[in-house]
Amino acid sequence: MKVLYFSDTFLPKTDGVAVSIKNFSELLSLRGHEFTICAPRYGEGDFERMGDNIQVIRFRSGYLPSYPDIKVVLPSPGKIKKIIEDFKPDIIHIHTPGLLGVYAVNAAERFGIPTVGTYHTLMAEQEMYVSFYRLFKLDKLFFKINKFKKKMNIDDLDKYVKFDNFNLRKKIILKICNDLYNRCDVVVSPSHLIKKQLAEYGITRPVTVVSNGMDLKRFTGKVKSLDNSAPKLLHVGRISYEKNCDVILNAFKLIHDIFPKATLTIIGEGPAIPSLQRQAEHLELQDSIIFKGFVPNAELHNIYPQYDLFLTASTMETQGLVVLESIACGLPAVGVDSFALPELIQEGRNGYIAPPFDVKKLAELSIRLLNDPEKYKEFSKNSIEIASGHEMSKCVDAMEEMYRKLIEATKGKEKKGTLLDIFFDFVNH
């Protein structure tokens, strides 16, 4: 099979989408399948191949002012047309509902190519990046002012947010995403809980569940025992506003009151780092909260086992790759009751689930677990067992089978040309 991937985020930028694309394309290419990956151009660190059967084609892009890591790919219909004509894909697979995803679905319809769309990211939960105060960088201005005016605190920024907190914005983003995914032949959900959510969102296309998977040969856990004299807490991931790391810091303040030698390590980079560092100072925890910045995924399997408990307050996970990695390494976890998290952090089995944004409950549940070494050991064992159901090879089998069935079912798919296609053909010749 020849598979053409489109994603508005990819390596060298590391996130869950990029890791998933890398894993599936590499393992499927070892089975003889060929891949072309269309992704943004980042500059330093870009590459054009990942082995003999995987080529990467980069597209010119700008960036979103409120989040420079988010690339906005410029229209290149002529380039996409040439890629399709040269590569002759059997299937097109979009991984993001950004502009590259839109270009891909348009091209797939035009050429009659079966299309898969993976719902990696709940874009409607990231609507803050198109909010007035972040697009115009008022949040950064706030923190510059705050350096000189110590009496201001994080709550003052919320006053700006209230003037720009319209549900209409979220509804518009949801409508755009739904329209795109409903043009795909099959939608892939990384978890069963998100499959149910997509039906509620209004996705009408067939949805199949394929986990992003985990290399359990690398992320291999041993049952852990707890020394609660100085517990080491961990959060890993993209440090952006929708991950709600501020909730983690506030909860850690309460945990630290009970365990004065406890530490919290934040691994990752993103636009929320400056505000979190400032928050740590306000909480007088700058000596107990460690911001390690970016750590390559290739090193994470050695890092997780050094910690005792994984914390997350994210309310937008379609699966939560870092949660899966952490439990595979034997860590119990405490998270929130939102989207896919309860599928990996199972209440009373390998961790606890608090209501979203409930700082006190998140802290209370963490303290309960850290005070119970026997329960902790049981949860560690169960974490490894839960992660075992996400072995990467099984997920690759499922994706390969889904591709085969879709190609067979869509033979002779109708092509849908438009006047816009004719115009772009004209200007690109």
Side-chain angles (χ1 to χ4, degrees), residues 3-283:
V3 184
L4 181 56
Y5 276 177
F6 285 84
S7 177
D8 293 87
T9 177
F10 188 53
L11 304 172
K13 179 180 179 291
T14 302
D15 57 19
V17 177
V19 171
S20 175
I21 290 172
K22 176 180 181 294
N23 288 343
F24 277 105
S25 61
E26 284 185 338
L27 291 172
L28 283 166
S29 73
L30 293 176
R31 301 183 182 190
H33 305 300
E34 295 180 48
F35 286 81
T36 292
I37 300 171
C38 295
R41 181 180 299 154
Y42 292 93
E44 185 178 353
D46 283 353
F47 51 87
E48 297 180 351
R49 297 211 68 88
M50 294 196 312
D52 293 338
N53 286 344
I54 306 172
Q55 66 170 331
V56 181
I57 298 177
R58 303 285 178 174
F59 286 73
R60 292 176 302 145
S61 59
Y63 64 87
L64 202 62
S66 51
Y67 193 172
D69 282 353
I70 295 179
K71 292 293 184 180
V72 180
V73 176
L74 303 176
S76 303
K79 185 173 182 177
I80 292 173
K81 178 174 181 286
K82 187 175 188 310
I83 290 169
I84 290 175
E85 290 174 342
D86 290 347
F87 185 55
K88 297 180 175 57
D90 297 302
I91 201 161
I92 285 177
H93 189 156
I94 68 166
H95 289 268
T96 52
L99 289 179
L100 260 181
V102 175
Y103 306 152
V105 171
N106 288 341
E109 290 178 344
R110 179 184 179 187
F111 287 91
I113 302 169
T115 314
V116 175
T118 294
Y119 220 110
H120 287 288
T121 305
L122 297 164
M123 294 300 293
E125 302 305 310
Q126 293 183 308
E127 46 82 30
M128 71 283 289
Y129 293 115
V130 292
S131 69
F132 172 82
Y133 80 101
R134 284 203 170 107
L135 280 175
F136 289 93
K137 302 187 178 181
L138 295 183
D139 54 337
K140 291 187 177 180
L141 177 62
F142 167 85
F143 286 110
K144 286 182 180 178
I145 294 171
N146 204 20
K147 288 181 180 178
F148 304 102
K149 194 173 181 180
K150 297 293 186 181
K151 290 183 180 179
M152 293 180 74
N153 58 53
I154 200 75
D155 294 332
D156 293 323
L157 183 58
D158 290 335
K159 295 176 184 176
Y160 296 105
V161 182
K162 288 175 183 177
F163 290 107
D164 190 45
N165 189 21
F166 298 107
N167 285 332
L168 177 62
R169 189 172 59 235
K170 183 175 288 191
K171 289 178 181 177
I172 290 171
I173 294 173
L174 189 58
K175 177 70 165 59
I176 291 170
C177 291
N178 283 357
D179 287 350
L180 182 67
Y181 281 102
N182 278 332
R183 291 165 66 191
C184 296
D185 294 293
V186 171
V187 175
V188 173
S189 167
S191 71
H192 292 278
L193 289 178
I194 289 299
K195 179 179 179 178
K196 290 176 61 178
Q197 185 66 53
L198 294 182
E200 294 176 17
Y201 273 179
I203 297 297
T204 57
R205 304 305 295 158
V207 179
T208 186
V209 175
V210 181
S211 170
N212 284 318
M214 177 63 51
D215 181 1
L216 294 179
K217 293 177 183 175
R218 187 158 71 90
F219 291 92
T220 302
K222 295 181 179 179
V223 177
K224 296 174 65 68
S225 297
L226 176 67
D227 175 6
N228 61 9
S229 61
K232 298 169 69 175
L233 283 58
L234 178 67
H235 176 86
V236 180
R238 187 173 70 253
I239 312 302
S240 45
Y241 300 103
E242 74 276 8
K243 298 295 186 178
N244 305 319
C245 290
D246 58 315
V247 174
I248 296 292
L249 266 63
N250 286 329
F252 179 69
K253 171 65 175 175
L254 301 178
I255 297 167
H256 192 266
D257 289 343
I258 305 299
F259 298 96
K261 293 183 179 180
T263 58
L264 170 64
T265 298
I266 308 286
I267 293 178
E269 56 187 11
I273 288 286
S275 64
L276 294 174
Q277 290 172 330
R278 192 68 184 152
Q279 182 183 355
E281 292 178 14
H282 281 303
L283 294 172

Side-chain angles (χ1 to χ4, degrees), residues 245-422:
C245 290
D246 58 315
V247 174
I248 296 292
L249 266 63
N250 286 329
F252 179 69
K253 171 65 175 175
L254 301 178
I255 297 167
H256 192 266
D257 289 343
I258 305 299
F259 298 96
K261 293 183 179 180
T263 58
L264 170 64
T265 298
I266 308 286
I267 293 178
E269 56 187 11
I273 288 286
S275 64
L276 294 174
Q277 290 172 330
R278 192 68 184 152
Q279 182 183 355
E281 292 178 14
H282 281 303
L283 294 172
E284 298 181 346
L285 289 171
Q286 60 268 36
D287 294 332
S288 299
I289 299 177
I290 303 118
F291 294 92
K292 293 196 73 168
F294 172 73
V295 173
N297 183 268
E299 299 175 16
L300 285 176
H301 64 285
N302 292 321
I303 291 176
Y304 286 114
Q306 300 172 24
Y307 293 87
D308 300 308
L309 179 64
F310 191 90
L311 294 181
T312 179
S314 174
T315 52
M316 55 153 291
E317 298 302 324
T318 55
Q319 181 170 46
L321 188 60
V322 292
V323 178
L324 182 52
E325 290 171 349
S326 69
I327 67 171
C329 291
L331 272 68
V334 176
V336 295
D337 187 8
S338 181
F339 295 114
L341 282 181
E343 200 164 301
L344 294 178
I345 306 174
Q346 298 181 10
E347 173 68 26
R349 186 178 175 206
N350 72 321
Y352 294 118
I353 292 290
F357 307 107
D358 191 332
V359 170
K360 290 183 179 179
K361 193 65 175 179
L362 198 67
E364 175 192 312
L365 293 172
S366 300
I367 292 167
R368 181 196 303 177
L369 182 55
L370 293 173
N371 270 326
D372 191 340
E374 286 302 314
K375 180 69 72 176
Y376 178 92
K377 192 171 184 178
E378 176 190 335
F379 279 13
S380 175
K381 176 178 177 291
N382 292 339
S383 277
I384 296 168
E385 183 179 330
I386 291 168
S388 68
H390 296 267
E391 170 58 50
M392 193 71 219
S393 62
K394 296 178 184 177
C395 301
V396 172
D397 288 343
M399 189 71 77
E400 183 180 40
E401 181 65 14
M402 184 270 294
Y403 283 163
R404 290 192 189 283
K405 287 182 177 179
L406 178 59
I407 292 169
E408 183 65 29
T410 55
K411 281 183 178 178
K413 183 179 177 182
E414 180 185 358
K415 298 180 181 181
K416 296 180 181 179
T418 66
L419 289 175
L420 193 60
D421 294 329
I422 297 171

